[in-house]
Amino acid sequence: MKIFCIGRNYADHAKELGNEVPSEPVIFMKPKSALLQTHTPFYYPEFTNELHAEAELVLRISKNGKYIQEKHASKYYNGITVGIDFTARDIQDELKSKGLPWEKAKAWDNSTVIGKWLDITPEMKKNDINFCLYKNKELVQQGNSRQMIFNFDKIVAYISNYFSLNIGDVIFTGTPAGVGECVVGDELEGFIEDESLFELSIK
Ligand code: ZN
């Protein structure tokens, strides 16, 4: 299983971190060990003082492929959920300033949360999916798939030019504005439309 993540896919989030809006998708990956298993507690990592939660729509790959054309891309994923790409922002800022890779900031053990999967149905309007993150019962982040710079099909096609996609791989499609800090004791809950897909407390 591979975990792909798209960076800077929402113009307003790129701006809030002082990044340029990209002309092609920004891709990074996390190892399988980055995935928080269900019923496993999430512990605030000892190596950061600035933990950020990025709520994102996540796609589930359902068919193996390489060099997938955009017009066929929708046949290669069949599930969607909301997840969190946890980021040690202080470490990322330091790495970015030195032009170094982001793994220490993004790809550590349990840095990735995936909600309950929803099947993608033909009726689903994939370019109009609302999702949001609540922290301590307060709305902190909300987005809609239409705000993405690169839509699902573009992302799948683009990734497949470089990496084979395999059944069970997942793609985090980027985070909208409103990314914020988390502290021990915070309770996070992620939604697509009105449906709660994960709950998590930071220990
Ligand atoms: Zn992210």
Side-chain angles (χ1 to χ4, degrees), residues 79-189:
I80 189 164
T81 188
V82 64
I84 294 186
D85 165 25
F86 275 112
T87 304
R89 193 71 71 199
D90 47 355
I91 296 177
Q92 191 193 28
D93 287 346
E94 194 189 325
L95 294 169
K96 270 164 71 179
S97 73
K98 294 177 184 162
L100 294 172
W102 294 354
E103 276 85 349
K104 282 201 301 181
K106 290 270 197 187
W108 33 277
D109 285 2
N110 302 336
S111 61
T112 312
V113 174
I114 294 181
K116 185 168 69 105
W117 291 106
L118 303 177
D119 291 331
I120 293 177
T121 57
E123 304 80 57
M124 198 180 264
K125 293 195 186 76
K126 285 187 291 182
N127 55 1
D128 187 18
I129 297 173
N130 287 298
F131 66 105
C132 63
L133 179 70
Y134 279 77
K135 185 168 80 179
N136 306 324
K137 306 282 177 203
E138 208 174 296
L139 179 65
V140 288
Q141 239 194 328
Q142 62 181 325
N144 183 295
S145 55
R146 94 172 84 81
Q147 301 160 332
M148 299 194 309
I149 298 168
F150 306 103
N151 67 24
F152 299 148
D153 292 351
K154 281 203 169 72
I155 291 170
V156 167
Y158 185 86
I159 290 176
S160 78
N161 288 332
Y162 299 85
F163 306 96
S164 53
L165 285 169
N166 296 107
I167 296 171
D169 290 350
V170 299
I171 304 175
F172 278 66
T173 59
T175 198
V179 162
E181 213 176 330
C182 296
V183 295
V184 172
D186 280 346
E187 307 272 342
L188 303 176
E189 188 171 13

